Amino acid sequence: MSQFDDEIEDSAAPLIEHLAELRTRIIRAVAAFLVAMIVCFTVAEPLLEFLMQPIADVLRARGEDPQLIFTAPQEKFFVLVRISVIFGLGLAFPVIAHQLWRFVAPGLYRSEKNAFLPFIIASPLLFLAGASFAHYVVTPLAMSFFIGFSDAIPTIAALLAGEGVDVIAEAPQNEELRTVFLGSVRESLDLSLKFILAFGLCFQLPVLLTLMGKAGLVSAEGLRNVRKYAVVGILVLAALVTPPDVITQVILFTVVYSLYEVSIFLVARVERKRLKELREAGILDEDEEL
């Protein structure tokens, strides 16, 4: 059935009923989020260890003790609460999306429902792919780069202390000052979450551009014409959201630019499908283009 034969579902409910329906959907979504957050708080400690694993691996590779510190009595509690909120939102997302869909679906055409449903499914999957890429690839490279500025070699004081030597008395007066990485859990978590959020959003590029293509806001030809500007923009993005080392920036550029090319392919596919429907409906001739 073409998009010109669609009909909106019969739902002539008054405003009060729509508001009551919205309230019900919001209550269910919030309840699902609170339950998911409580569940995640019970396993917040393993989740914290999972998020901090890239830093621990970097420290082990440098011969250091893989441990982070808290700088305030309440810091650990609020870190665990923050993790519970973030993972609880992700765990409850299917329920929240379902409630949102149940509220807006009656006002959509059948073709619009068929168009939006794949994107509702693809969006969280792409975000998960971007988050996984950030956690397993980008974060270890970034942590290795940043921690590399600290003194990873055990100090002479630590070596002498292990041998039972009086460090203060025996340490050379001309020994240079060394720095040692004592990472804060809160700040390290902030950096890891920023990478996860940034790459998760970057991986939404195909969904965003394809939706814009369906709405007629962009075209495959237009995306091809601005490809050189896209390259510059992606390079700037790579320089802003990654540490200043070439390897990480090249990785991000390659991934995001590949997503841009995939977006062009998807938009072109949407245009071909729309052109076919218009010709079948008799709006365009066989030799006409959009």
Side-chain angles (χ1 to χ4, degrees):
M1 180 180 294
S2 68
Q3 60 180 344
F4 305 99
D5 299 326
D6 288 338
E7 295 181 358
I8 298 180
E9 292 184 4
D10 185 15
S11 59
L15 178 61
I16 299 300
E17 292 186 12
H18 284 302
L19 293 177
E21 175 74 10
L22 177 61
R23 182 189 62 180
T24 301
R25 300 300 176 189
I26 291 177
I27 291 175
R28 292 178 180 177
V30 172
F33 167 68
L34 292 177
V35 172
M37 186 182 70
I38 294 173
V39 172
C40 290
F41 187 80
T42 61
V43 292
E45 195 79 39
L47 291 176
L48 176 61
E49 295 179 3
F50 172 76
L51 291 173
M52 295 295 100
Q53 192 61 42
I55 302 180
D57 293 339
V58 171
L59 294 176
R60 291 191 188 97
R62 301 176 68 87
E64 292 191 38
D65 188 13
Q67 63 180 5
L68 301 175
I69 63 173
F70 293 101
T71 58
Q74 75 281 6
E75 184 175 344
K76 182 174 182 179
F77 173 77
F78 286 109
V79 164
L80 297 180
V81 170
R82 184 178 182 184
I83 292 175
S84 304
V85 170
I86 294 173
F87 280 85
L89 182 61
L91 184 62
F93 178 80
V95 178
I96 297 174
H98 176 70
Q99 296 300 319
L100 178 62
W101 176 256
R102 290 290 301 273
F103 179 73
V104 302
L108 298 177
Y109 292 103
R110 291 189 181 94
S111 63
E112 291 174 336
K113 293 179 182 179
N114 295 333
F116 276 101
L117 191 57
F119 294 104
I120 294 177
I121 298 175
S123 182
L125 294 179
L126 287 174
F127 186 90
L128 182 61
S132 300
F133 180 80
H135 180 74
Y136 291 107
V137 178
V138 178
T139 302
L141 292 174
M143 294 303 176
S144 179
F145 176 84
F146 288 131
I147 296 177
F149 282 105
S150 64
D151 189 5
I153 303 175
T155 61
I156 294 179
L159 294 176
L160 294 177
E163 298 176 0
V165 180
D166 189 349
V167 177
I168 299 179
E170 299 293 336
Q173 296 297 320
N174 60 351
E175 178 66 26
E176 65 180 20
L177 178 65
R178 295 181 181 271
T179 58
V180 179
F181 174 72
L182 295 176
S184 168
V185 173
R186 180 178 59 83
E187 295 177 358
S188 301
L189 179 64
D190 285 343
L191 186 59
S192 298
L193 292 178
K194 286 178 181 178
F195 282 130
I196 290 175
L197 179 62
F199 279 84
L201 293 178
C202 286
F203 273 59
Q204 301 298 310
L205 186 62
V207 173
L208 176 62
L209 292 181
T210 306
L211 282 175
M212 293 176 67
K214 278 186 170 292
L217 300 177
V218 298
S219 64
E221 184 64 26
L223 293 176
R224 295 189 188 100
N225 292 335
V226 299
R227 185 182 276 122
K228 57 183 178 181
Y229 302 106
V231 170
V232 176
I234 295 171
L235 286 174
V236 173
L237 176 68
L240 292 176
V241 303
T242 59
D245 68 298
V246 178
I247 297 178
T248 308
Q249 293 176 357
V250 169
I251 292 175
L252 177 60
F253 171 80
T254 302
V255 172
V256 178
Y257 182 74
S258 299
L259 293 173
Y260 184 80
E261 292 294 335
V262 171
S263 302
I264 295 177
F265 169 77
L266 293 176
V267 172
R269 184 178 178 182
V270 168
E271 291 176 346
R272 289 193 298 269
K273 183 177 180 181
R274 184 193 305 161
L275 183 61
K276 180 180 178 181
E277 292 177 349
L278 291 174
R279 287 174 176 172
E280 290 177 351
I283 296 177
L284 293 179
D285 296 332
E286 290 299 325
D287 56 344
E288 284 187 287
E289 300 291 338
L290 288 175

